[in-house]
Amino acid sequence: SRMMLPEHKLEHNRHQQNLKRREQKVLDEARWSEIAMLFSESLHRHKEIRVKLFDAFEELSVIGIVERIDQRGGQFMVNGDWFRLSDVEGAELEAEDHDFFDS
């Protein structure tokens, strides 16, 4: 049987996690313009938005209404929490729930 030293096991686990590491998407100017419009609509019309944020190891999203945007500080606020604009990889307005009845 094979035994693995604790430090080898730790290094093996680090290596496996680094294999899952992903790079941040680079957004073009047109996409940033679209995201800015979605942020503005959420902020001014109180519409719920889903913002996809960069993380090297997992997919992160924040859902809520944009409360503030700090261009100088490069951040925005959703649900009372600040997030970096540089971490934004995408955004979309959440579908509104309506009770429509077909007639």
Side-chain angles (χ1 to χ4, degrees):
S1 82
R2 287 181 122 187
M3 286 189 58
M4 193 179 260
L5 294 173
E7 52 271 13
H8 290 158
K9 187 173 183 173
L10 185 62
E11 184 58 35
H12 174 74
N13 290 344
R14 269 194 217 121
H15 177 71
Q16 291 299 320
Q17 190 169 23
N18 280 332
L19 291 175
K20 296 176 188 174
R21 185 180 198 92
R22 66 183 197 89
E23 298 294 320
Q24 186 171 6
K25 292 180 185 178
V26 177
L27 303 178
D28 63 15
E29 195 171 320
R31 185 66 179 128
W32 272 116
S33 180
E34 183 182 323
I35 290 169
M37 287 181 8
L38 294 172
F39 272 50
S40 180
E41 188 162 349
S42 176
L43 177 68
H44 297 295
R45 295 188 177 183
H46 304 287
K47 291 194 172 191
E48 196 167 75
I49 191 171
R50 174 189 300 265
V51 182
K52 184 177 177 187
L53 300 172
F54 172 74
D55 182 82
F57 300 105
E58 62 182 322
E59 286 195 22
L60 296 179
S61 293
V62 61
I63 302 171
I65 296 172
V66 175
E67 299 165 22
R68 292 180 59 194
I69 301 172
D70 177 6
Q71 291 286 344
R72 280 191 198 163
Q75 55 188 0
F76 65 99
M77 180 186 282
V78 174
N79 300 329
D81 294 319
W82 287 102
F83 302 92
R84 295 184 334 195
L85 287 167
S86 62
D87 287 341
V88 174
E89 288 193 321
E92 62 186 15
L93 291 178
E94 287 291 283
E96 296 181 34
D97 291 329
H98 294 290
D99 291 319
F100 288 118
F101 297 98
D102 295 328
S103 41

